[in-house]
Amino acid sequence: MTIGLGRDICNNLEIAEKREWLVTNGLGGFACGTVADVLTRCYHGLLIAALNPPARRTLLVAKLDTAVEYNGSLYTLYTNRWQKEIIDPQGYLKTESFHLENTVPVWRYAFADALLEKRIWMEQGQNTTYVHFNYRRGTGPLVLTLTALVNYRDFHGGGQSFNPNMDISLMGGGVKITASPHATPFYIFISDGQVYPAHIWYYGFDLAVERYRGLSDRENHLHAVSFSVILNLGESVTVVSSTDAEASSDGEAALSRRFGYERDLLEPQFSSQPRWIQQLILAADQFIVARPLENRSAGKTIIAGYPWFGDWGRDTMISLPGLTLCTGRSSIARQILLTFSNYLDRGMLPNMFPDSTSPPQYNTIDAVLWFFQSVWCYYLATADEEFIAAVYPALQEVIYWHGRGTRYNICLDRDDGLIYGGAEGVQLTWMDAKVDDLVVTPRTGKAIEINALWYNALIILCRLGSELGKDRREYEGMAQHTKRGFRRFWNENKGYCYDVLDTPAGNDESLRPNQIFAVSLPLDDLLTPAQNKAIVDTCGLNLLTSYGLRSLAPHHPDYKGQYGGDRLTRDKAYHQGTVWGWLLGPFVEAHWKVYGNPTVARSFLEPMAAHLGDGCLGSLSEIFDGDVPHHPRGAFAQAWTVAEVLRVWFLLEAGDR
């Protein structure tokens, strides 16, 4: 499977600007854009550097506009959209094809009888982006002119503000750019050619996707430098953008390092896997980034999604098995678990991980319960008893705090053994949409997936305790109490489970996907085989789509079949019918458990292979419209979507064996 596009898509602006690419550096920094080379988001740029990894992500280099003089004619290869939706120039019409080489995007521009290739990638572990041009076909020399547009702002954008006094100074082969006395300087240089510093602001870039999202849709960028180079047939040139003045300008060597790094991710362990699974393994690596601990020792974390998410506790713990253990990177899994264990507090993990300026936000009920699951998966993969012995007391402390009661009324109900949680104005479960003071799906009470996770945590603690020779009788008793109480979730009249028990309005019988975890997750069954089958069938008939499960059944009066518009409109639909790709994982696992047919279960994953050629090429989207044709929405590359598809793929492969 090769992810590639021809002129039918590349020369159709409406489609080409909806196909996006992403490259990353393992620090939280990234570069991304559209196949059409037109900016549609405030997050698009050639160098978005993580100045305090993985935080302080800052847009430094926005674009590198390319023009060519060849055989007496000028060809513009770039595209810009301006105010009033004016497209000028229309360089996308010169794109003959686009494809991915592993994760490296490649454009082929055809003009007259000439062919020019462009590649973009980042150096692993550096805030450095390479743009490499190779003159592949022609009958004479060409002159390549490159115009670098820069900025220095938070990657979330937020308006047209700019610093008119950015300092641009000439240096060997390029320029040094300093936005302000306290700003991190950055550099743009070329491997060969002439350098022409500039200081011209371009006003009024029109960001179509931000307008669609109800956000600021205007942007200004500074023309900081131009380069000019003569290329003869077969020659190449590289432009380097970096926060490191000593970054290598040898594009061929840098590209070889990138391909070598990605080859090591695949060979030899995964060389026989289908190409689309190999592509997902490469995509998985893009979410794994550095997060130094408070003592400055090395740590690892997981970016929840690109282009706007940081590292979230819940997303990290859900994603860890698929992104690390299934891809043969157990040492990274260990680092991530140790990183997060440093932030356990009152039996909870942070929802929003701290950066250099903000404290942890402990407003998630399930992140720490997914932590148990990740620890268990790590132990199954490694038999690392030393690690288990070290983390076991922390797991015990989590159980203690839930029994005692912790933040936001999160506590164990001694009567039925179920976990209750909720407080006014706070969203605690993964269905966490909130607009100002409005919590769209508060789910205050005893949520079904929380209690499936709680039961599982108790079982895991028992099994790990058995491995360590610990007395586990207390936890076994708690687990059995929870199992008996869990029977309350079964709604005999509906033939499926309540979503939340004991809410302020009673038991919530909305048909949501959260009950699938009662089938897929437990190490020991919580419900009867007939009830498990009823849940899988009900979810399959009402919630399943090609790309995941709807968050609410279409027949519910609150169902929203399309996700889009301003923030309020979007968030009202976020968990009210929108399809979530990551839920495909637990559905496939539950289906396999109930029906025992890995071939049929695997067939539910096949549409995701096709989706690799849509949205963000080579990765999987966060969400999709609930209504057909299920357009991709939200973050264009999402960790837990990639992770869950990989996890169940390898689970089913093991089932075949």
Side-chain angles (χ1 to χ4, degrees), residues 143-200:
V143 179
L144 188 63
T145 301
L146 305 165
T147 300
L149 304 180
V150 307
N151 214 309
Y152 196 98
R153 62 154 173 81
D154 182 86
F155 78 131
H156 291 305
Q160 302 179 57
S161 60
F162 60 92
N163 178 3
N165 301 314
M166 294 175 74
D167 180 72
I168 302 169
S169 56
L170 193 63
M171 56 170 279
V175 294
K176 173 183 177 180
I177 303 167
T178 309
S180 68
H182 301 293
T184 300
F186 61 102
Y187 310 86
I188 308 175
F189 47 92
I190 194 167
S191 59
D192 183 39
Q194 301 298 310
V195 183
Y196 304 98
H199 200 293
I200 305 168

Side-chain angles (χ1 to χ4, degrees), residues 439-456:
V439 178
V440 180
T441 50
R443 303 185 74 224
T444 296
K446 299 165 183 173
I448 187 167
E449 81 281 9
I450 300 302
N451 282 284
L453 282 162
W454 170 252
Y455 175 74
N456 220 40

